[in-house]
């Protein structure tokens, strides 16, 4: 039986389930000191003075540092030289730009002493005008004397794709509508906040970091400190969730090594939850101004989108790229003849914004899926029918995206089939009838039905796709070594943060080599043992690294067959491979086990001519020709309390297409997690600031993360259109749920409220907003 496609249980779980995971904060090095930040309480201010006298004398304090103590250090890497004024120093230099901005570091014998001393550092600020939103930052630009968050840059707005005049196809369309969509700012909330342990010994630097791409960090740390790569080892042990926020470079990654070098002792930093909410980069925070032209059948003739991305107080390279992905994916699964996209990154006095599960694609699916529903509403058509009218058809692949037809080609898909399957699973037609009856009955909750036919760009791998974010390349590496006992060690260049890649990689390797699943050990996350890799982002582990593992496995198998043929005195073509070993076709009694063949691989006298000792060792650097474009159709049914406005998700049905599924259990788990985040964005989560840039939601008391009981049981379906861009036919699925879910939920809420004249509602659709939209009903249930 094939391992690929089997619902194998996770290799990683036994340790995690008994509390034997090893996270960064579990690492306790002898003599380690703890560092903590003194963070800005102002959103925008000039630093007048920093008084450390009282704190320096406090118990356990070893040192307190400001930017003046690190004058020799470069700025945090990533941004290109053209935007030099935006390069972020490792601590605030003269000016603070958001609440939470690190101003000073306190180093003490333990974390409690460090925290106490940080409270006793007094900073005098001279407040500057605060621009805490896209709108206020752009408004300041209209005034030549208005505030510039980076005076040397002289602008708060960084145009990436300039706005063009509306195309004739839009101006001449029989019908037009426009809408501004606000994609609410979210905080990632991984169970494990940011943590790092740095130990700079005479032999070199060792860094344990909770991070999604240890090689990326190693490469940047070595150029930052000007040391050779063999003197820097970065280890990402177990990582307790990342959701994209652990792909960015934060000041502590550079300061912990710098202080360790200064003091000659290991340094640990580990955020509290409240610090993480303020300082780990946020996600979304976009405004999308959409204009669409269409005809009476619902056919979209032209789409024009201007995306404004809030990049926060310190633009991050990943954050600067989010809107590019939104722009590319703005047409979704639809054959839209004319698409015009503009993009402006906007600097504000808020926490920097960067990758967050989906990173730019949930914003695109939200704007286009809401737009399609608004067209249906305008024309009085079934939203499903408008989707069928506009779908790209299954025979049109590779399909050049109208937003960038030279560079972006959808690989494969069957969007009408996904919607057919969704409608079947939902019982769509019966639901429409049920809705009419329920909504006419005041004793029942209002019913809404929402669809989302989403598309995303994943499998980041084609050359050039990651280099712009400072990565060495976009390839991925895999090495497989067969040990003399016939077991295999698979070393992967990507390292996961909760996805279960070890299990999926072992399935791929097991099938391709023929070795038993339990005899395959997967390693990752340590630059000493996997010397080169790129990392985990853009749902690429399976499509790029899994493909590398398959290719390396094929090489191993070919060489193993040659050895077995030699030992069995048969022709390689006659050798049959299984988990038990090697047999000669027609004479199954004559066999060699994997251990026999693997042992021979280390004994040159046993090997056929041309193969040397250690031959069962293969390294592959895998380049893929294109991204993969997972897609799907999601359906959401909500019931809305007619008195309180509370939205209850009654059913949530998913049809995913990630091409070949490696492990349905894990793939479904990924979708469940992503959908949970998407529902949460649609109904609960919103990181907000007041007009002074003070965060209003920086603890889990006021930033709403749903509990399991707030979420529905999902009904899962699937179609499979394998991708031609890798040998597995597999597309990414790690972000799909987060991309597809928000519009399905909001479409359902707006559908339920359509009787009140509601055309759109920005996320999150809180009970209060819904109650207001219903005209503030009174009464009781
Ligand atoms: N899989 C599969 N078949 C496929 C594709 C994937 O069975 N065709 C399964 C495999 O088990 C694989 C997993 O899904 O291990 C995810 O694979 P892939 O889609 O290649 O994504 P990555 O491993 O590259 O994960 C990245 C993606 C991203 S970018 C974020 S952010 C994210 C995520 O996945 N953050 C997560 N999933 C997360 N899951 C957890 N638990 N925690 C996070 O922080």
């Amino acid at each position: 039986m094939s391992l690929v496609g089997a619902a194998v249980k996770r290799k990683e779980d036994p340790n995690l389930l008994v509390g034997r995971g090893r996270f960064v904060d579990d690492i306790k090095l002898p003599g380690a000191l703890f560092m903590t930040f003194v963070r800005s309480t102002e959103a925008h201010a000039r630093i007048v003075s920093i008084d450390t006298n009282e704190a320096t004398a406090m118990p356990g304090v070893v040192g307190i540092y400001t930017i003046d103590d690190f004058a020799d250090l470069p700025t945090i890497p990533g941004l290109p030289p053209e935007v030099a004024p935006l390069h972020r120093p490792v601590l605030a230099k003269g000016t603070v730009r958001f609440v939470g901005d690190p101003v000073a570091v306190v180093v003490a014998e333990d974390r409690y002493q460090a925290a106490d001393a940080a409270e006793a550092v007094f900073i005098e600020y001279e407040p500057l005008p605060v621009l805490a939103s896209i709108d206020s930052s752009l408004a300041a630009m209209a005034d030549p004397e208005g505030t510039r968050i980076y005076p040397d840059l002289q602008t708060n707005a960084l145009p990436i794709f300039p706005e063009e005049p509306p195309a004739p196809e839009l101006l001449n369309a029989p019908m037009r509508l426009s809408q501004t969509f606000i994609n609410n700012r979210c905080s990632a909330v991984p169970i494990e906040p940011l943590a790092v342990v740095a130990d700079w010994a005479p032999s070199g630097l060792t860094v344990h970091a909770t991070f999604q791409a240890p090689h990326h960090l190693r490469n940047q740390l070595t150029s930052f400190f000007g040391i050779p790569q063999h003197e820097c080892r970065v280890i990402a042990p177990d990582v307790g969730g990342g959701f994209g926020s652990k792909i960015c470079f934060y000041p502590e990654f550079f300061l912990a090594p710098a202080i360790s070098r200064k003091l000659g002792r290991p340094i640990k930093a580990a955020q509290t939850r409240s610090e993480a909410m303020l300082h780990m980069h946020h996600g979304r925070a976009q405004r999308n101004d959409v204009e669409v032209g269409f005809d009476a059948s619902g056919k979209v003739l032209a789409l024009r989108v201007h995306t404004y991305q809030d990049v926060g107080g310190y633009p991050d390279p990943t954050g600067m790229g989010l809107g590019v992905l939104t722009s590319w994916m703005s047409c979704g699964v639809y054959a839209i003849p004319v698409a015009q996209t503009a993009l402006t990154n906007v600097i504000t006095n808020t926490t920097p914004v960067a990758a967050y599960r989906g990173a730019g694609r949930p914003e695109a699916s939200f704007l286009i899926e809401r737009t399609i529903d608004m067209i249906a509403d305008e024309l009085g058509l079934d939203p499903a029918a408008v989707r069928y009218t506009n779908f790209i058809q299954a025979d049109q692949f590779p399909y050049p995206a109208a937003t960038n037809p030279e560079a972006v080609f959808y690989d494969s898909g069957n969007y009408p089939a996904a919607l057919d399957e969704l409608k079947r699973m939902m019982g769509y037609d019966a639901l429409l009838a049920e809705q009419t009856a329920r909504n006419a009955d005041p004793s029942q909750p209002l019913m809404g039905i929402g669809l989302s036919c989403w598309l995303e760009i994943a499998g980041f791998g084609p050359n050039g796709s990651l280099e712009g974010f400072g990565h060495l390349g976009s390839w991925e590496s895999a090495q497989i070594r067969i040990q003399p006992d016939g077991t295999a060690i698979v070393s992967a260049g990507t390292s996961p943060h909760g996805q279960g890649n070890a299990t999926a990689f072992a399935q791929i390797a097991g099938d391709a080599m023929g070795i038993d699943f339990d005899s395959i050990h997967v390693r990752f996350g340590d630059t000493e043992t996997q010397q080169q890799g790129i990392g985990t982002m853009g749902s690429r582990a399976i499509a790029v690294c899994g493909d590398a593992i398959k290719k390396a496995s094929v090489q191993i198998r070919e060489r193993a067959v040659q050895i077995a043929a030699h030992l069995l005195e048969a022709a390689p073509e006659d050798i049959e491979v299984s988990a038990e070993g090697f047999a000669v076709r027609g004479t199954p009694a004559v066999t060699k086990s994997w251990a026999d063949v693997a042992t021979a691989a280390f004994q040159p006298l046993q090997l056929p001519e041309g193969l040397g000792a250690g031959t069962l060792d293969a390294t592959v650097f895998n380049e893929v020709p294109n991204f993969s474009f997972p897609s799907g159709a999601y359906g959401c049914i909500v019931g809305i309390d007619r008195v309180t406005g509370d939205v209850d998700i009654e059913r949530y049905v998913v049809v995913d297409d990630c091409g070949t599924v490696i492990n349905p259990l894990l793939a479904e788990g990924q979708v469940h997690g992503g959908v949970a985040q998407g529902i949460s964005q649609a109904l609960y989560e919103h990181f907000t600031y007041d007009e002074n840039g003070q965060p209003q939601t920086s603890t889990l008391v006021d930033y709403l993360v749903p509990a399991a009981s707030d979420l529905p049981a999902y009904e899962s379906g699937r179609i499979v259109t394998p991708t031609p861009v890798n040998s597995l036919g597999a597309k990414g699925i790690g972000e799909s749920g987060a991309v597809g879910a928000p519009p399905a939920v909001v479409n359902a809420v707006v559908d339920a409220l359509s009787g009140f004249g509601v055309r759109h509602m920005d996320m999150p659709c809180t009970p209060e907003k819904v109650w207001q939209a219903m005209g503030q009903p009174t009464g009781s249930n």
Side-chain angles (χ1 to χ4, degrees):
M1 199 192 85
S2 166
L3 281 168
V4 167
V8 179
K9 284 196 181 157
R10 290 175 20 135
K11 268 183 185 292
E12 353 346 49
D13 283 346
N15 264 354
L16 297 174
L17 289 174
V18 297
R20 297 300 296 270
R22 193 158 188 261
F23 298 87
V24 171
D25 210 6
D26 294 323
I27 291 159
K28 297 186 175 25
L29 298 183
L33 297 168
F34 196 90
M35 65 172 259
T36 197
F37 288 122
V38 182
R39 298 177 183 279
S40 172
T41 51
E42 297 289 320
H44 196 197
R46 211 171 57 75
I47 300 169
V48 178
S49 63
I50 304 174
D51 178 354
T52 60
N53 286 334
E54 186 183 328
T56 306
M58 286 177 69
V61 173
V62 175
I64 301 183
Y65 308 101
T66 68
I67 190 66
D68 295 340
D69 298 297
F70 300 110
D72 57 327
L73 289 184
T75 51
I76 294 175
L79 286 177
E82 302 85 74
V83 287
L86 295 177
H87 291 192
R88 182 178 183 178
V90 288
L91 287 168
K93 194 174 183 179
T95 305
V96 291
R97 293 190 172 84
F98 69 98
V99 172
D101 197 352
V103 180
V105 196
V106 176
V107 179
E109 294 292 340
D110 69 38
R111 69 184 72 203
Y112 308 103
Q113 291 169 329
D116 286 347
E119 295 278 311
V121 173
F122 299 104
I123 304 171
E124 191 187 339
Y125 297 104
E126 179 188 315
L128 296 167
V130 173
L131 307 176
S133 66
I134 291 174
D135 291 350
S136 64
S137 187
L138 292 178
M141 292 302 302
D143 175 0
E145 301 300 311
T147 300
R148 306 292 183 261
I149 294 175
Y150 288 86
D152 291 348
L153 194 73
Q154 296 182 350
T155 180
N156 301 327
L158 306 159
I160 307 296
F161 303 140
E163 191 171 290
E164 298 164 6
E169 290 84 350
L170 178 65
L171 295 174
N172 300 329
M175 309 180 89
R176 285 161 61 184
L177 61 80
S178 57
Q179 178 69 46
T180 290
F181 299 106
I182 305 295
N183 217 286
N184 42 329
R185 178 186 280 255
C186 296
S187 178
V189 202
I191 291 178
E192 182 196 20
L194 214 63
V196 59
V197 178
D199 185 10
W200 201 314
S203 56
L205 170 65
T206 303
V207 172
H208 286 82
T210 182
F211 202 63
Q212 296 175 210
H215 298 89
H216 189 29
L217 184 54
R218 187 266 322 266
N219 297 347
Q220 297 294 0
L221 278 172
T222 51
S223 64
F224 184 90
F225 287 109
I227 56 172
Q229 295 209 335
H230 62 263
E231 285 184 16
C232 178
R233 177 180 187 182
V234 174
I235 303 165
D238 285 327
V239 174
F243 306 116
S245 60
K246 291 183 181 168
I247 198 63
C248 304
F249 296 127
Y250 297 93
E252 45 268 65
F253 290 159
F254 301 92
L255 283 169
I259 298 170
S260 177
R261 182 171 61 176
K262 214 185 249 300
L263 299 179
R265 289 172 69 174
I267 301 291
K268 179 186 277 190
Q271 292 177 335
T272 62
R273 173 64 58 199
S274 311
E275 284 183 294
M277 301 286 289
L278 285 183
H279 198 216
M280 273 180 93
H281 293 179
H282 291 165
R284 313 290 187 256
Q286 257 190 27
R287 178 180 117 194
N288 311 100
D289 293 348
V290 175
E291 290 172 270
V292 66
F294 51 100
D295 67 18
S297 72
K299 172 77 191 137
V300 180
L301 304 171
L303 181 75
R304 186 165 183 260
V305 181
H306 194 143
T307 291
Y308 295 89
Q309 174 69 58
D310 186 341
V311 290
Y314 292 97
D316 172 275
T318 321
M320 298 270 267
L322 296 176
V324 173
L325 298 177
T326 308
S327 300
W328 284 359
M329 301 311 294
S330 286
C331 290
V333 290
Y334 306 110
I336 298 177
V338 175
Q340 297 178 286
T341 53
L343 168 62
T344 306
N345 285 328
V346 183
I347 304 165
T348 62
N349 292 121
T350 62
T351 298
V353 177
Y356 171 55
R357 203 172 195 170
R361 293 94 89 200
E363 297 86 329
S365 75
F366 189 77
L367 75 88
I368 187 65
E369 286 304 284
R370 282 295 302 123
T371 298
I372 294 288
D373 259 39
M374 291 180 79
I375 293 171
D377 182 51
E378 189 81 9
L379 297 172
L381 295 173
D382 174 6
V386 177
R387 287 177 167 81
Y388 283 114
T389 302
N390 287 288
F391 277 142
I392 295 161
Q393 299 299 314
D395 59 2
Q396 288 181 283
F397 295 94
Y399 186 87
T403 52
N404 188 350
E406 277 83 45
V408 181
F409 293 88
Y410 301 172
D411 57 342
S412 68
N414 191 340
Y415 312 136
L419 184 54
D420 288 348
E421 175 62 3
L422 178 74
K423 285 178 65 186
R424 188 194 64 73
M425 287 174 66
M426 292 175 81
Y428 189 71
D429 295 335
L431 281 175
L432 294 178
E434 182 189 336
Q435 183 183 30
T436 309
R438 258 176 66 170
N439 287 355
D441 176 358
S443 70
Q444 298 215 46
L446 277 170
M447 178 175 168
I449 305 168
L451 301 176
S452 161
C453 293
W454 56 271
L455 177 70
E456 72 142 327
I457 181 169
F460 278 55
N463 290 329
S465 58
L466 293 172
E467 286 86 336
F469 302 114
H471 292 270
L472 194 57
S474 304
W475 42 264
E476 202 44 85
S477 74
Q479 184 190 44
I480 301 185
R481 280 201 168 141
I482 306 301
Q483 304 179 94
D485 64 357
T487 60
I489 293 183
V490 174
S491 287
T494 57
S495 66
H497 46 280
Q499 297 88 331
N501 288 353
T503 306
F505 288 164
Q507 290 177 262
I508 293 168
D511 266 0
M513 291 191 292
I515 294 184
D516 176 46
F517 177 77
D518 290 330
S519 300
I520 299 173
H521 178 69
V522 180
R523 287 184 181 159
F524 35 63
D526 183 345
T527 60
E528 189 93 329
T529 47
Q530 295 82 46
Q531 281 160 10
Q532 302 300 337
I534 299 299
T536 300
M537 74 241 36
S539 300
R540 65 192 299 273
I542 296 299
V544 193
C545 193
D547 192 37
I549 289 168
K550 180 167 178 183
K551 288 175 177 163
S553 302
V554 168
Q555 291 183 20
I556 296 279
R557 182 185 171 116
E558 279 170 10
R559 286 181 225 157
V561 164
Q562 282 184 53
I563 299 170
H566 183 71
L567 296 177
L568 293 165
E569 297 177 355
E573 311 77 78
D574 292 332
I575 298 295
E576 288 177 336
V577 187
S578 70
E580 283 71 47
F582 303 80
V584 182
R585 192 169 289 112
T587 52
V590 191
T591 61
K592 291 283 174 195
S593 67
W594 269 97
D596 295 335
V597 169
T599 303
F602 290 93
Q603 298 171 317
L605 297 179
Q606 301 285 328
L607 291 174
E609 218 176 301
L611 293 186
T615 188
L616 295 185
D617 184 332
T619 301
V620 167
F621 277 68
N622 191 35
E623 295 173 63
V624 294
N626 193 4
F627 300 93
S628 66
F629 292 77
S631 59
Y634 289 175
C636 177
I637 296 149
V638 298
I640 294 183
D641 188 305
R642 294 181 195 240
V643 177
T644 65
D646 185 42
V647 177
D648 176 40
I649 298 194
E650 296 180 354
R651 285 177 66 198
Y652 200 98
V653 187
V654 303
V655 175
D656 278 283
D657 180 2
C658 65
T660 306
V661 177
I662 307 302
N663 184 327
L665 194 64
L666 302 191
E668 224 170 87
Q670 285 293 303
V671 172
H672 288 188
V675 168
Q677 278 178 284
I679 291 175
S680 187
Q681 183 182 8
L683 296 182
Y684 304 107
E685 294 184 43
H686 193 186
F687 200 101
T688 57
Y689 295 89
D690 69 12
E691 68 281 6
N692 297 318
Q694 291 295 330
Q696 298 171 308
T697 48
S698 58
T699 72
L700 293 182
V701 173
D702 31 34
Y703 184 83
L704 296 184
V705 176
S709 55
D710 296 314
L711 296 165
Y714 308 111
E715 299 165 48
S716 300
R718 166 164 301 124
I719 66 162
V720 176
T721 61
T723 177
V725 309
N726 62 57
S727 68
L728 296 163
K731 307 175 187 182
I733 202 165
E735 294 162 285
S736 296
V739 174
V745 179
V746 177
N747 284 344
V749 171
V750 173
D751 181 50
L753 298 175
S754 61
F756 296 92
V758 174
R759 287 178 73 229
H760 175 65
M761 184 174 285
D762 279 322
M763 300 182 286
C765 301
T766 57
E768 189 196 348
K769 268 194 214 167
V770 174
W771 180 75
Q772 297 283 2
M774 292 191 300
Q776 307 180 352
T778 52
S780 59
N781 287 304

